[in-house]
Amino acid sequence: MFSKHIQNDLQLTDSTHKEGDLYKVITAYGKTFELRYGYYEDGDRLSLLCEPVVIYPDFLKEPVYTDDGAPFVTMVQDVCKNYKGETKRTPNTTCADCKYFQRGEDWIGICTGPKNKKNE
């Protein structure tokens, strides 16, 4: 049969998440988002070393706004040209570092920067 080490590995494999599995549903600022497991890079899907991770919406590709026009962002999203923060802007600066970022549930929030508000 299998050694204990292989049996333990198989048990871990059986309990891992699969691509498309629901992580959770969150509601932030009047909008609902389904977060599912998946891959950010197609190459990761082919690697035996990569497991699915939680996929957050790409608000740069598909913008979503609150009812009053504030854009949704993730806290790990690269900052825009209107960044205002206590630290100098670097290539690693994210929306979470900006004074305009208002956190919602999980890693999703909104940008309260007046220049980023959707004009109606």
Side-chain angles (χ1 to χ4, degrees), residues 4-66:
K4 274 196 183 291
H5 178 72
I6 292 174
Q7 286 177 352
N8 287 341
D9 285 350
L10 289 174
Q11 288 172 352
L12 289 175
T13 302
D14 290 343
S15 66
T16 59
H17 301 285
K18 295 180 181 36
E19 185 172 16
D21 285 353
L22 182 65
Y23 169 62
K24 68 178 169 178
V25 177
I26 64 169
T27 300
Y29 302 98
K31 303 289 182 190
T32 301
F33 302 96
E34 278 190 4
L35 302 180
R36 297 192 173 272
Y37 289 93
Y39 300 92
Y40 282 104
E41 303 290 332
D42 288 335
D44 292 345
R45 188 177 284 107
L46 304 174
S47 172
L48 296 175
L49 300 175
C50 293
E51 294 184 14
V53 296
V54 177
I55 301 294
Y56 289 86
D58 185 340
F59 295 121
L60 295 176
K61 284 186 181 176
E62 296 181 30
V64 178
Y65 297 88
T66 63

Side-chain angles (χ1 to χ4, degrees), residues 49-100:
L49 300 175
C50 293
E51 294 184 14
V53 296
V54 177
I55 301 294
Y56 289 86
D58 185 340
F59 295 121
L60 295 176
K61 284 186 181 176
E62 296 181 30
V64 178
Y65 297 88
T66 63
D67 290 342
D68 67 348
F72 279 88
V73 296
T74 64
M75 60 189 297
V76 294
Q77 188 172 309
D78 292 338
V79 295
C80 68
K81 63 182 179 186
N82 300 310
Y83 167 75
K84 296 260 191 253
E86 292 183 17
T87 60
K88 183 179 176 184
R89 181 183 179 152
T90 70
N92 296 324
T93 306
T94 65
C95 286
D97 300 314
C98 183
K99 76 173 191 173
Y100 293 131

